[in-house]
Amino acid sequence: MNVTANKYQSYLSNPNVSAMLKVIGDCEGANYNTLFGGGTFSDFSKHPNKVICRNGLCSTAAGKYQFLYKTWIEVQKKLGLKDFGPNSQDIAAVYLIARRRALKNLIDGDLPIVLKKLSYEWASIPPSRYGQKTRSEKYIYDRFKKYSGTIKTTNALILPAIIALAIVSFFIVK
């Protein structure tokens, strides 16, 4: 593991990052040893690189975050990861979140922006971009909260409520 990988590993203790990694795993329907299509592997020394075809789609996706082999090789080299074990997969997923410029948004709890950005990386995150099964935003928000993630409340929701309250108060006082 190199200095860059250590930097991304440090984010694993952030509650929002931890929650999102669990959510992505849930959305992908995967554990650390899951192959595309639902099979499993047991050798964590390297990405299994097995092409599996299901329902008209063929993929080398593997692991909790369903890394394509090509993506894994690129990330593994960049971060100096020695294996395909759970810790390496977690670090690589944080790197992909950062590469999509969503890490700061995630730490800040800006989930709408995070989903928009991460939907380009993971097919199961809405809005659907790859024609595969996508989880609902409600599912993701509920899971994120379940895993102790904190969602930032936006002024876009608060301001209309304040205005409505002011209007109602105005008519009640009159």
Side-chain angles (χ1 to χ4, degrees), residues 47-134:
H47 186 290
N49 192 24
K50 291 185 179 181
V51 177
I52 298 173
C53 298
R54 294 274 192 276
N55 302 321
L57 296 171
C58 294
S59 179
T60 58
K64 184 173 183 175
Y65 311 104
Q66 293 294 283
F67 293 101
L68 298 176
Y69 181 70
K70 178 182 171 184
T71 302
W72 178 257
I73 294 303
E74 172 196 341
V75 172
Q76 181 182 32
K77 185 176 181 178
K78 170 89 176 164
L79 301 178
L81 301 172
K82 302 295 183 208
D83 60 27
F84 194 60
N87 191 56
S88 294
Q89 290 182 41
D90 288 346
I91 292 166
V94 174
Y95 169 78
L96 293 178
I97 291 168
R99 188 169 78 174
R100 290 290 176 182
R101 300 188 191 316
L103 190 54
K104 182 179 181 332
N105 302 114
L106 177 56
I107 290 167
D108 292 344
D110 195 349
L111 222 48
I113 298 296
V114 170
L115 296 183
K116 183 177 179 180
K117 291 177 178 182
L118 296 187
S119 67
Y120 288 98
E121 195 69 47
W122 285 282
S124 61
I125 294 178
S128 178
R129 300 191 188 278
Y130 300 103
Q132 291 177 247
K133 181 181 173 186
T134 301

Side-chain angles (χ1 to χ4, degrees), residues 28-41 61-64 66 84:
E28 294 293 319
N31 292 311
Y32 293 105
N33 67 337
T34 304
L35 294 167
F36 175 74
T40 60
F41 63 92
K64 184 173 183 175
Q66 293 294 283
F84 194 60

